[in-house]
Amino acid sequence: MRLSRYFLPVLKETPSEAQIASHRLMLRAGMIKQASAGIYSWLPMGFKVLKKLEAIVHEEQIRAGHIPMLMPTLQSADLWRESGRYDAYGPEMLRIRDRHDRDMLYGPTNEEMITDIFRSHVGSYKDLPLTLYHIQWKFRDEVRPRFGVMRGREFYMKDGYNFDIDYDSAIHAYNRHMVSYLRTYERMGLKAIPMRADSGPIGGDDTHEFLVLADTGESEVFYDSAILDLTFGDRRVNYDDRAECAQIVKEWTTPYARTDETHDAALYDAIPEARRRSSRGIEVGQIFYFGTKYSEPMGATVVNDKGERVPVHMGSHGIGVSRLVGALIEANHDDRGIIWPEGVTPFHCGIVNLKQGDAEADAACKGIYKALSDKGLEPLYDDREERAGAKFATMDLIGLPWRITVGPRGLKTGVVELTSRRTGDSEEMSPEAAVARVAEIYAPHRTGSHWEPMAKSSFHTWL
């Protein structure tokens, strides 16, 4: 993409309403525009990042054996009355009446709707296990929306629901989700720690939140620093192997890590003092097992192998996709702007022409642009008639991980400059070498060499 043809309305000044780094930088970098309190339009670059995160979520959910679908944003209040949550949920639920005076609601979550779908079509244990999920816009009428996409009223969320014949099978589904989430966040360049948490209005006794450590987090967290040394890496997982999934979950949940709602001072004090940590955390996902909380009152039953009709065991599992954009920025920024991890960057490399209109510099930039594009990468070429300082400031603000700078002086000796946004380190090399280096950097993210072969393709290929 040429910047002169792109819609990137960057701001020089920080809007007064922005209180945290991600909100400031998303507004300044032209990623979002507020439509009303807690509701945002996603402008092209913000939308591009959002869709990249969504693709990773889809890939890892499908890898774990979960089946994508799509449910509507508006739901009938009658389903929520069946479960008993319509009146219990509180003012966060946006309640609506249609023209026929029927009670409706803008869905904050989908346990009731997915249970209704299940009970309408599944009647035998032979159809289990089953996990369905979708990625859809949700609405919760926050009393005081703030922090941009971190605590908005409208948000984009992956929510999945498992249906199993018994407790042991449902716990395997819980473990499978935890493993898939660990992979998902690591691919995005995030350290998301699973922490024992409170279930809130979803219900159930077994639940973990995934939190990214950040000073601006809404939750106080307590943890053993040993958990920071854990990485998922290149590990391949057989999601049908209950023992393997349970072992990974044990590995990640044995070190103490809890939110303030479930903090146990005695257990925390038993950790060696040098490893005790307290911080703030941003919630980016949560998994729940809640048994028959919804299946019993709503009649979601199957006939088991003894011919008995029994309620299924269920769980729900969410990832805040739009919130992840803010969390990524909170964890990856400096005083000049965003620093995108390679796995989620909107463009793989920026190209800065120091002297637009110079025939040799223009030709070199076009050549680099074409060579990167031919390798399947997406460069952003700043071809504007602007000062070099303004171009560098824009590139720093929007946070592309790598920048190739082209100028007449360097071209006289046959070199361009390749710069890392994260470290600030620069190296002079030939244009061909710079293209090869960038392609090499992105090879693991593009070809899936760190991930199983399914991740090589878009999830749309598999549907």
Side-chain angles (χ1 to χ4, degrees):
M1 176 59 68
R2 290 172 178 265
L3 192 50
S4 63
R5 300 177 185 174
Y6 197 54
F7 182 63
L8 187 68
V10 298
L11 305 176
K12 292 183 179 179
E13 302 297 329
T14 299
S16 58
E17 73 271 18
Q19 298 176 320
I20 63 172
S22 60
H23 193 192
R24 291 194 300 269
L25 292 171
M26 289 183 77
L27 290 169
R28 286 199 56 217
M31 295 179 67
I32 56 172
K33 182 183 184 303
Q34 181 170 304
S36 61
I39 301 174
Y40 294 87
S41 295
W42 288 77
L43 305 183
M45 197 177 80
F47 183 65
K48 195 172 180 65
V49 174
L50 186 69
K51 300 308 283 186
K52 285 205 169 188
L53 298 180
E54 179 184 4
I56 291 173
V57 172
H58 272 300
E59 288 175 9
E60 293 304 327
Q61 286 300 295
I62 291 169
R63 188 194 310 280
H66 308 156
I67 303 169
M69 60 177 297
L70 184 63
M71 289 176 275
T73 55
L74 293 182
Q75 303 180 31
S76 168
D78 291 341
L79 288 175
W80 285 66
R81 290 190 175 107
E82 281 190 58
S83 71
R85 282 207 303 171
Y86 184 69
D87 295 317
Y89 202 88
E92 291 81 15
M93 180 189 292
L94 182 61
R95 294 163 169 83
I96 306 165
R97 284 197 172 176
D98 66 13
R99 66 192 300 165
H100 300 292
D101 211 30
R102 291 175 295 215
D103 289 327
M104 308 288 288
L105 59 99
Y106 193 131
T109 184
N110 283 74
E111 281 80 8
E112 285 79 3
M113 182 166 286
I114 197 70
T115 304
D116 179 55
I117 291 170
F118 177 89
R119 71 184 178 183
S120 300
H121 299 288
V122 180
S124 170
Y125 76 99
K126 295 179 180 179
D127 296 319
L128 303 179
L130 179 66
T131 296
L132 303 171
Y133 80 93
H134 74 158
I135 299 179
Q136 176 64 289
W137 288 102
K138 302 281 194 290
F139 188 91
R140 292 175 190 164
D141 201 2
E142 294 280 353
V143 64
R144 190 163 65 92
R146 60 194 187 279
F147 305 155
V149 301
M150 298 288 290
R151 199 169 182 85
R153 292 192 295 164
E154 185 182 57
F155 53 96
Y156 203 44
M157 180 177 170
K158 172 261 161 182
D159 47 317
Y161 306 91
N162 66 281
F163 301 87
D164 289 278
I165 190 63
D166 55 27
Y167 173 82
D168 289 342
S169 300
I171 290 301
H172 174 55
Y174 186 95
N175 293 342
R176 196 172 62 237
H177 276 86
M178 183 176 290
V179 173
S180 71
Y181 280 23
L182 291 171
R183 289 181 63 105
T184 298
Y185 296 126
E186 197 162 298
R187 281 187 64 184
M188 294 174 181
L190 277 175
K191 187 73 172 182
I193 303 172
M195 298 192 177
R196 177 67 65 178
D198 181 68
S199 62
I202 301 295
D205 297 324
D206 293 281
T207 180
H208 280 83
E209 287 181 2
F210 292 80
L211 290 105
V212 175
L213 301 178
D215 292 339
T216 50
E218 70 271 62
S219 301
E220 186 176 10
V221 298
F222 302 85
Y223 62 96
D224 181 341
S225 64
I227 201 168
L228 300 178
D229 297 327
L230 297 177
T231 58
F232 205 90
D234 296 344
R235 186 183 313 191
R236 294 173 179 266
V237 180
N238 177 0
Y239 282 101
D240 293 327
D241 188 326
R242 294 191 180 191
E244 182 180 1
C245 290
Q247 180 57 40
I248 295 171
V249 169
K250 182 180 179 181
E251 178 185 343
W252 281 80
T253 58
T254 296
Y256 186 90
R258 297 195 178 200
T259 60
D260 52 355
E261 295 97 335
T262 61
H263 178 51
D264 186 318
L267 291 176
Y268 181 68
D269 290 343
I271 303 168
E273 186 174 359
R275 301 206 317 252
R276 289 179 212 154
R277 299 285 188 276
S278 63
S279 182
R280 308 292 301 178
I282 300 169
E283 181 196 344
V284 292
Q286 190 163 4
I287 58 176
F288 303 84
Y289 162 72
F290 42 67
T292 59
K293 174 181 170 65
Y294 297 92
S295 57
E296 281 198 270
M298 296 187 68
T301 62
V302 296
V303 176
N304 66 16
D305 58 355
K306 298 177 182 177
E308 303 165 334
R309 185 163 288 280
V310 295
V312 293
H313 288 247
M314 294 176 57
S316 69
H317 316 275
I319 289 180
V321 182
S322 55
R323 170 178 272 236
L324 272 168
V325 181
L328 277 158
I329 295 172
E330 289 295 328
N332 296 277
H333 73 275
D334 60 17
D335 58 359
R336 292 176 292 155
I338 302 165
I339 307 172
W340 292 114
E342 279 83 354
V344 299
T345 179
F347 296 95
H348 296 105
C349 182
I351 304 171
V352 171
N353 189 340
L354 293 181
K355 193 170 183 181
Q356 196 71 35
D358 178 87
E360 189 176 5
D362 290 354
C365 288
K366 290 176 184 177
I368 292 169
Y369 182 91
K370 183 178 186 304
L372 289 169
S373 300
D374 288 346
K375 290 183 178 294
L377 299 172
E378 291 184 279
L380 180 64
Y381 173 23
D382 192 343
D383 60 341
R384 300 172 300 161
E385 296 286 348
E386 286 278 1
R387 295 177 296 104
K391 291 186 175 187
F392 289 144
T394 297
M395 286 293 173
D396 285 344
L397 174 62
I398 66 176
L400 306 187
W402 297 92
R403 185 186 76 223
I404 298 175
T405 305
V406 181
R409 183 180 301 175
L411 289 174
K412 287 180 180 178
T413 57
V415 298
V416 296
E417 189 175 70
L418 179 64
T419 303
S420 165
R421 174 67 179 88
R422 187 169 296 278
T423 66
D425 294 339
S426 296
E427 185 178 352
E428 289 187 341
M429 60 186 71
S430 69
E432 294 79 12
V435 169
R437 178 74 62 83
V438 172
E440 180 184 9
I441 289 165
Y442 283 103
H445 305 282
R446 186 165 53 88
T447 66
S449 64
H450 285 326
W451 314 103
E452 293 160 22
M454 189 182 292
K456 291 181 181 179
S457 304
S458 163
F459 78 96
H460 296 290
T461 307
W462 316 322
L463 298 182

